[in-house]
Amino acid sequence: MEILILALPLIASIISGFFGRLIGDRNSEIFTSLLVSISAIFSAFILYEVIINQYQENIVIATWINSGSLNVNWSMKIDSLSAVMLVVVTSVSSLVHIYSIGYMSHDPHKPRFMAYLSLFTFAMLMLVTSDNFIQLFFGWEGVGLCSYFLIGFWFKKDTANSAAIKAFIVNRVGDFGFALGIFLIFYLFGTVNYSEVFDKIPTILEKDLIFLGIKIGAIDLICLLLFIGAMGKSAQIFLHTWLPDAMEGPTPVSALIHAATMVTAGVFLVVRCSPIYEYSELALNIITIVGMSTAFFAATVALVQTDIKKIIAYSTCSQLGYMFFATGVGAYNVAMFHLFTHAFFKALLFLGSGSVIHAFKDEQDINKMGGVWKKLPYTYTLMIIGTLALTGFPFLSGFYSKDAIIEFAYLRGNTVGYYAAGIGVLTAFLTSIYSWRLIFKTFHGNYNNKEINIEETHESPLVMLIPLIFLSVGAIFAGFTFKEIFIGHGGTNYFWQDSIFFLKPLSTEHPPIWFLFLTPTLVILSIPVAYYLFLKNKDLTDRIVKVNKPLHEFLKNKWYFDELYDEIFVKPSKKFGLFLWKFFDLKVIDGLGPDGISSIIKKFSIKANKFQSGFIYQYAFVMLLGFSALLTFLIVK
């Protein structure tokens, strides 16, 4: 059964990709959705076995590399951590497959799209079930490749192609650091298998290395290089620029890749490597700082965005920041808890936004919407549920996981932990403001679309609404149901067993009462504030924007990261490339190589052609010159 969880999405991808035209569009959709759904059911059973019977297994599928001390298998590591990820990946993927049947109904390339979705699911499953860094890297690059295919699926759109290339290149930057980290692990330990590497970590705690002329501890360097890879995949600040642009892909892609699966791979990597990170205080502090910076940055940018999908994309970026600073303060289990709950409500919001876009005939600007909550009652209700869960409204899933992150950051007790807790509270307030801004501007107020009559807007078909209903159940109940299992008494309970390593047990104390009530109070108060600013008194909002125009422009342009990178990297690279092309390629290589040689031969041929005059005396003269030259050569010799 465990192997079938991996095999079924791969089979679905092969059948739909190679035989889609033969079996037809509808059969491709049904076949891929069915196989991935079966995989999801099996994954749920595995999680049940892990929870009830503490089931663990390492299934070797095949031997992959056996060279010297490098022994790598294709394997399937089943433990608490991988079981959680199996459920997240397969459940969201199966619902996205079903949703895509309705959303992509007018697309002429449905089998190819479904094949890409299934192949992505397989690659992600390979990533989360690996028992070594090489198989992990295979899955890591596999999801990166599939994301390139899916983001650029509508390849006739220049913006989609540009977004796909951008995602691919930015991720390669992070992956370069990740690859160096794996090389360093093999150099130091002679193995890349998790269990062997984790057992040998204490042997290098005092070892120092020189890297780029800087003396640094070996354990710190490993952690930082691996984290660079995690930053790229999980769109943390400085390597985040690809995520919002990736919204150019179809909405089901956004829900699958950029809400629940691929972008969480970086968080999974850090948690899986907790036996390494627990020994590096430097790396943990840097992760905390990067995570809280990303959470705040993305929330501020989301405040002023007008593209419905980009608002949710920046929200994803922000929530990933929460997960990272949870790992930075040592609360790996809480990070996984938020990853688990976030998958449901963020996929719900993405697919809900897709339902809105579907109703507005591909319009994504929230300023061109409004007043349709009665026309789209089911989508409206389901997105309200997703928004409440995202903002951490009391007793929904986000309330349990996000507040737990802030609390454990506070209980960390050091300066970085207090800063992270403070930023977490502020970001929670901003999250609630921009989330309700999206709801109010999309569904309430006046209808603002001049191109589409309000009567033309319509509710999505049942095949798109059913996945939303299932996700809404997770958004409501996942937090309450799994809180005790995932966190328990500080999170070091029996569920995680040895899949997460705690050098120091997490604090079992409680923060002050005022701190426990601070975040929920701000979240609740933000609803009337957002209502007043974005619905009741829009003039006040406009005046605030005018007074703070430089700040508004700064946020609207996403802190000018793209412009900065354009000046620092893109333009110099283009100039350097043009120089290499025009000087070295055209003048040096071509000039001295094929073009130069052919030019010389051509000139020589033209000169030699003049001797072919047809006059006998000229031929005799040339023969005499040749004979004289030969005679001279023989005499001198």
Side-chain angles (χ1 to χ4, degrees):
M1 182 176 65
E2 290 87 345
I3 296 177
L4 281 176
I5 294 174
L6 284 177
L8 290 176
L10 179 61
I11 293 169
S13 176
I14 293 172
I15 297 297
S16 183
F18 290 101
F19 306 102
R21 290 186 178 181
L22 185 64
I23 64 177
D25 292 355
R26 182 46 55 91
N27 287 333
S28 294
E29 293 168 336
I30 294 173
F31 187 74
T32 53
S33 300
L34 178 63
L35 291 192
V36 176
S37 297
I38 294 172
S39 183
I41 294 170
F42 288 165
S43 297
F45 182 76
I46 292 295
L47 180 61
Y48 175 81
E49 284 293 306
V50 170
I51 295 172
I52 301 301
N53 300 319
Q54 293 84 57
Y55 172 66
Q56 288 193 44
E57 189 62 73
N58 193 359
I59 303 168
V60 177
I61 299 172
T63 299
W64 184 15
I65 301 173
N66 191 349
S67 176
S69 63
L70 181 62
N71 296 296
V72 178
N73 295 321
W74 287 112
S75 57
M76 194 171 181
K77 182 179 178 66
I78 303 295
D79 60 5
S80 306
L81 187 57
S82 60
V84 170
M85 291 301 296
L86 284 175
V87 169
V88 168
V89 173
T90 55
S91 60
V92 173
S93 179
S94 60
L95 293 173
V96 167
H97 274 73
I98 296 168
Y99 178 91
S100 299
I101 295 174
Y103 191 87
M104 303 294 287
S105 59
H106 301 297
D107 194 277
H109 307 292
K110 289 185 279 291
R112 178 164 62 90
F113 183 76
M114 303 304 283
Y116 287 164
L117 288 182
S118 299
L119 183 62
F120 172 87
T121 306
F122 166 74
M124 191 68 195
L125 292 175
M126 290 297 294
L127 188 158
V128 300
T129 58
S130 63
D131 73 343
N132 61 81
F133 286 98
I134 301 298
Q135 184 180 328
L136 174 72
F137 192 72
F138 169 82
W140 193 274
E141 293 302 305
V143 293
L145 177 64
C146 292
S147 71
Y148 172 78
F149 291 152
L150 288 165
I151 295 168
F153 180 77
W154 287 324
F155 55 86
K156 293 183 180 180
K157 286 173 59 179
D158 290 338
T159 52
N161 288 325
S162 298
I165 293 170
K166 186 175 184 179
F168 197 77
I169 291 173
V170 174
N171 272 276
R172 296 293 74 70
V173 175
D175 293 354
F176 179 69
F178 185 31
L180 288 179
I182 296 174
F183 296 155
L184 181 58
I185 286 172
F186 182 70
Y187 169 74
L188 292 172
F189 304 115
T191 181
V192 290
N193 295 313
Y194 292 154
S195 57
E196 297 173 8
V197 171
F198 297 159
D199 288 341
K200 294 180 180 180
I201 289 297
T203 64
I204 65 160
L205 295 181
E206 304 299 323
K207 186 177 181 63
D208 292 327
L209 297 171
I210 303 297
F211 182 72
L212 300 178
I214 302 171
K215 186 177 182 181
I216 185 172
I219 190 74
D220 294 330
L221 183 57
I222 290 173
C223 291
L224 292 176
L225 288 173
L226 294 180
F227 179 59
I228 290 172
M231 284 179 65
K233 197 66 73 182
S234 295
Q236 293 301 282
I237 194 167
F238 302 121
L239 293 179
H240 68 278
T241 54
W242 67 271
L243 183 62
D245 288 14
M247 297 304 106
E248 291 293 336
T251 300
V253 174
S254 304
L256 179 63
I257 295 179
H258 310 118
T261 53
M262 189 183 91
V263 291
T264 60
V267 180
F268 169 79
L269 171 65
V270 174
V271 176
R272 174 61 83 191
C273 294
S274 57
I276 306 176
Y277 280 95
E278 277 292 89
Y279 290 101
S280 176
E281 192 70 25
L282 172 64
L284 290 177
N285 286 334
I286 289 175
I287 291 172
T288 306
I289 293 168
V290 169
M292 69 182 185
S293 301
T294 305
F296 176 73
F297 152 75
T300 60
V301 174
L303 285 170
V304 300
Q305 296 298 305
T306 57
D307 186 310
I308 187 171
K309 285 172 65 178
K310 286 192 176 181
I311 295 171
I312 303 174
Y314 277 108
S315 173
T316 299
C317 199
S318 183
Q319 297 306 306
L320 289 165
Y322 272 104
M323 297 175 206
F324 272 110
F325 81 67
T327 63
V329 298
Y332 305 100
N333 55 326
V334 185
M336 288 303 301
F337 184 35
H338 193 50
L339 185 156
F340 183 76
T341 60
H342 174 265
F344 295 105
F345 60 72
K346 188 52 63 67
L348 172 60
L349 285 171
F350 264 121
L351 295 184
S353 71
S355 184
V356 173
I357 294 167
H358 183 75
F360 278 90
K361 299 181 179 178
D362 297 330
E363 178 58 64
Q364 295 183 199
D365 190 343
I366 60 174
N367 289 328
K368 296 180 180 179
M369 299 177 185
V372 293
W373 69 275
K374 290 183 179 179
K375 295 287 292 181
L376 311 174
Y378 300 115
T379 299
Y380 172 68
T381 303
L382 293 165
M383 285 200 72
I384 288 287
I385 293 171
T387 298
L388 289 170
L390 168 64
T391 58
F393 194 84
F395 309 117
L396 273 77
S397 58
F399 166 75
Y400 293 99
S401 57
K402 188 194 294 184
D403 282 26
I405 291 175
I406 297 172
E407 290 166 20
F408 276 104
Y410 181 87
L411 291 172
R412 182 71 172 179
N414 58 7
T415 304
V416 175
Y418 288 137
Y419 272 116
I423 293 293
V425 172
L426 176 59
T427 302
F429 177 72
L430 296 177
T431 300
S432 193
I433 293 291
Y434 70 67
S435 297
W436 287 108
R437 170 179 175 263
L438 184 151
I439 292 294
F440 291 139
K441 291 180 78 69
T442 301
F443 294 101
H444 291 277
N446 298 322
Y447 184 76
N448 299 311
N449 197 305
K450 297 179 181 179
E451 299 175 4
I452 304 170
N453 191 294
I454 190 170
E455 298 303 324
E456 295 180 39
T457 59
H458 57 86
E459 188 60 271
S460 297
L462 203 58
V463 73
M464 292 173 64
L465 291 176
I466 289 176
L468 295 179
I469 294 169
F470 276 104
L471 289 169
S472 68
V473 173
I476 296 171
F477 298 110
F480 173 77
T481 305
F482 289 91
K483 178 179 183 295
E484 192 64 27
I485 295 172
F486 280 27
I487 302 178
H489 302 290
T492 54
N493 60 346
Y494 72 93
F495 172 70
W496 295 107
Q497 300 177 71
D498 58 353
S499 63
I500 295 179
F501 176 74
F502 296 94
L503 189 61
K504 297 178 182 178
L506 292 177
S507 174
T508 56
E509 298 178 7
H510 290 284
I513 296 296
W514 66 267
F515 189 79
L516 291 175
F517 281 95
L518 178 60
T519 306
T521 302
L522 289 174
V523 166
I524 294 171
L525 289 176
S526 67
I527 300 176
V529 171
Y531 174 80
Y532 184 77
L533 288 175
F534 304 115
L535 205 60
K536 192 71 175 175
N537 194 347
K538 295 181 181 179
D539 292 337
L540 175 60
T541 307
D542 293 337
R543 288 199 298 271
I544 292 173
V545 169
K546 288 180 181 178
V547 171
N548 298 279
K549 191 170 181 61
L551 176 61
H552 182 266
E553 288 297 314
F554 179 70
L555 297 180
K556 189 176 180 181
N557 287 284
K558 302 159 288 189
W559 290 28
Y560 292 102
F561 270 105
D562 283 308
E563 290 78 4
L564 183 65
Y565 288 170
D566 195 48
E567 292 294 330
I568 296 176
F569 300 113
V570 178
K571 288 182 179 178
S573 297
K574 283 185 177 179
K575 290 179 180 178
F576 185 60
L578 287 172
F579 171 74
L580 290 178
W581 170 45
K582 291 186 176 181
F583 181 75
F584 280 99
D585 194 19
L586 295 181
K587 293 185 178 180
V588 177
I589 298 176
D590 287 348
L592 298 179
D595 289 349
I597 294 171
S598 63
S599 177
I600 292 171
I601 293 173
K602 183 178 179 181
K603 290 178 181 178
F604 180 78
S605 299
I606 292 171
K607 295 291 184 183
N609 185 51
K610 293 180 179 179
F611 290 104
Q612 306 300 319
S613 62
F615 296 110
I616 295 177
Y617 66 86
Q618 286 189 358
Y619 294 157
F621 178 69
V622 171
M623 292 170 63
L624 183 61
L625 285 177
F627 177 74
S628 300
L630 178 63
L631 190 62
T632 303
F633 173 76
L634 292 173
I635 292 173
V636 171
K637 188 176 179 182

